[in-house]
Amino acid sequence: MDNKDLREKRKEWFSQMEQKLKETQPKEEDSLFYYHSSEDRIVLSHAMFWTMTQLQFFKSKQRKEKFFLLLRQYQEEMLDAFLQDDDYFSDLLHYCNILYEMLPTILMASHLKTEKDTPKLAAISMVAAGYAGDMPEELANELLDDMDFDKYGKVKCRAIEHLMPQLMKMVEGEMKSLR
């Protein structure tokens, strides 16, 4: 399958997924990203989630779940496209947004609901979306500017990694409020 065929299949698949999402979430303002001030803030939310889950779920059973793997794969591909100013970036961001918006439904409507790491994953998703949307402009720009590739050509978010202690405290607070 060539790139054009793959992109068309993705477009069709995500269109169907988006339609299902609209049935469960009819109001646009219910979107996790509705109040983000810019597309860059949405990208930052995905970068934070991608980085936080990369470091936190290395030993978790959830790291093997198809939906979780798919979300992380699309986020990495989108971040790569963002850094390279690839024309496919906007489609990939749209796909990531759909997957991210479906995450709470997937977590609560499946066998994952009983997994011990599910509340933490839910809290990470809320912190990543909320904090990236609300943080000071200067910090957001610093985190976005820091994103780059490592020596192997993989996306790397070192500044977000350095924020992990602070971010995980926020996650713990979010988990307490979810109980």
Side-chain angles (χ1 to χ4, degrees):
M1 181 181 296
D2 69 359
N3 256 355
K4 188 176 180 181
D5 290 339
L6 176 63
R7 288 181 181 190
E8 279 304 312
K9 275 223 180 286
R10 281 179 171 180
K11 191 174 190 174
E12 182 181 315
W13 188 69
F14 277 101
S15 177
Q16 292 171 5
M17 190 182 286
E18 185 174 29
Q19 187 59 40
K20 288 180 184 178
L21 183 61
K22 284 180 180 178
E23 290 169 9
T24 61
Q25 184 185 31
K27 291 191 277 181
E28 192 177 340
E29 58 269 9
D30 290 339
S31 165
L32 290 167
F33 305 119
Y34 181 77
Y35 295 102
H36 281 51
S37 59
S38 68
E39 187 176 77
D40 283 353
R41 292 297 186 110
I42 297 170
V43 170
L44 184 56
S45 291
H46 286 292
M48 289 177 71
F49 180 86
W50 181 76
T51 302
M52 292 168 74
T53 55
Q54 181 177 20
L55 300 173
Q56 291 299 309
F57 284 89
F58 189 73
K59 296 178 183 175
S60 172
K61 289 180 188 178
Q62 290 176 344
R63 70 180 161 78
K64 295 179 184 177
E65 291 295 326
K66 287 180 185 179
F67 183 85
F68 182 65
L69 290 171
L70 188 65
L71 172 57
R72 287 186 41 76
Q73 174 190 331
Y74 273 88
Q75 286 175 324
E76 183 173 14
E77 192 174 338
M78 178 272 298
L79 292 170
D80 187 288
F82 173 76
L83 291 171
Q84 296 189 48
D85 289 327
D86 187 317
D87 291 341
Y88 195 43
F89 161 74
S90 60
D91 288 338
L92 289 168
L93 179 61
H94 183 70
Y95 301 158
C96 286
N97 291 347
I98 292 168
L99 289 169
Y100 203 89
E101 294 283 353
M102 291 195 79
L103 184 60
T105 304
I106 296 291
L107 290 176
M108 298 316 295
S110 69
H111 66 283
L112 296 175
K113 184 165 59 173
T114 59
E115 290 292 324
K116 72 176 179 111
D117 287 329
T118 295
K120 191 172 196 175
L121 184 57
I124 287 172
S125 71
M126 290 191 296
V127 167
Y131 187 54
D134 294 338
M135 72 175 53
E137 194 71 29
E138 188 176 313
L139 178 58
N141 290 335
E142 181 182 318
L143 295 176
L144 286 163
D145 290 345
D146 173 73
M147 284 192 267
D148 205 353
F149 297 100
D150 66 13
K151 64 182 177 181
Y152 303 107
K154 294 285 189 184
V155 174
K156 195 73 173 162
C157 305
R158 287 177 185 85
I160 295 172
E161 289 174 12
H162 290 298
L163 282 179
M164 285 300 290
Q166 178 185 349
L167 293 171
M168 293 319 292
K169 283 182 184 173
M170 291 175 171
V171 168
E172 292 300 322
E174 193 64 45
M175 287 173 61
K176 286 178 185 172
S177 73
L178 288 174
R179 289 183 192 140

